[in-house]
Amino acid sequence: MIFVSRFWTKLFSFGKADAITIYPFIFLKKRIFKDNQQLINHEKIHIRQAAELLIIFFYFSYLIEFLFRYIQYRDFHQAYLNISYEREAYSNEADFNYLSQRKFWAFWKYLKK
């Protein structure tokens, strides 16, 4: 289910994201983003990741990896882009068949040292 809410996108991304997934919902910063199928696909990939990790483990590991990447890169945006979940989503957001052929825990191969 998709909602438009600047409040949620601002709260969970410090205003930096156009969309955010809070399982099982996708929150968009602006109504116009409903037409951005690539962005929606990106967020749907996060929904699948969260489901595979029983939701709570997804958000916990996302936060831990972000903190690790922030220490590693000392840059918010670089840390965010190098989270394994984001690397998988960005790499496959333009492939609208990706979720139908995606392997279980596919994000694992995007985890780098």
Side-chain angles (χ1 to χ4, degrees):
M1 190 168 280
I2 300 171
F3 297 98
V4 176
S5 172
R6 287 182 183 223
F7 173 79
W8 291 110
T9 55
K10 187 174 184 178
L11 179 68
F12 287 104
S13 74
F14 307 104
K16 297 179 187 274
D18 291 332
I20 190 161
T21 298
I22 309 295
Y23 188 89
F25 307 110
I26 296 171
F27 294 97
L28 305 173
K29 186 188 281 186
K30 297 178 183 176
R31 184 173 309 283
I32 195 165
F33 294 137
K34 280 188 172 187
D35 296 329
N36 186 335
Q37 292 305 308
Q38 192 165 310
L39 177 64
I40 301 300
N41 197 44
H42 178 105
E43 298 305 321
K44 286 181 177 180
I45 292 169
H46 289 319
I47 288 173
R48 180 74 59 87
Q49 294 165 339
E52 288 175 350
L53 290 169
L54 306 175
I55 303 154
I56 191 71
F57 296 114
F58 169 75
Y59 290 105
F60 178 73
S61 61
Y62 189 105
L63 180 60
I64 295 298
E65 188 174 356
F66 173 79
L67 293 172
F68 176 77
R69 299 294 178 207
Y70 188 76
I71 291 167
Q72 182 180 17
Y73 294 104
R74 296 186 174 152
D75 179 87
F76 185 96
H77 189 66
Q78 280 302 111
Y80 160 76
L81 290 175
N82 282 284
I83 297 169
S84 57
Y85 306 115
E86 293 300 340
R87 293 179 71 220
E88 178 190 9
Y90 277 113
S91 294
N92 299 288
E93 66 187 8
D95 180 356
F96 300 111
N97 294 315
Y98 178 69
L99 285 173
S100 66
Q101 58 196 12
R102 181 182 178 272
K103 294 190 169 138
F104 191 76
W105 280 26
F107 62 85
W108 193 257
K109 75 178 184 177
Y110 294 90
L111 187 64
K112 67 178 188 173
K113 296 177 183 179

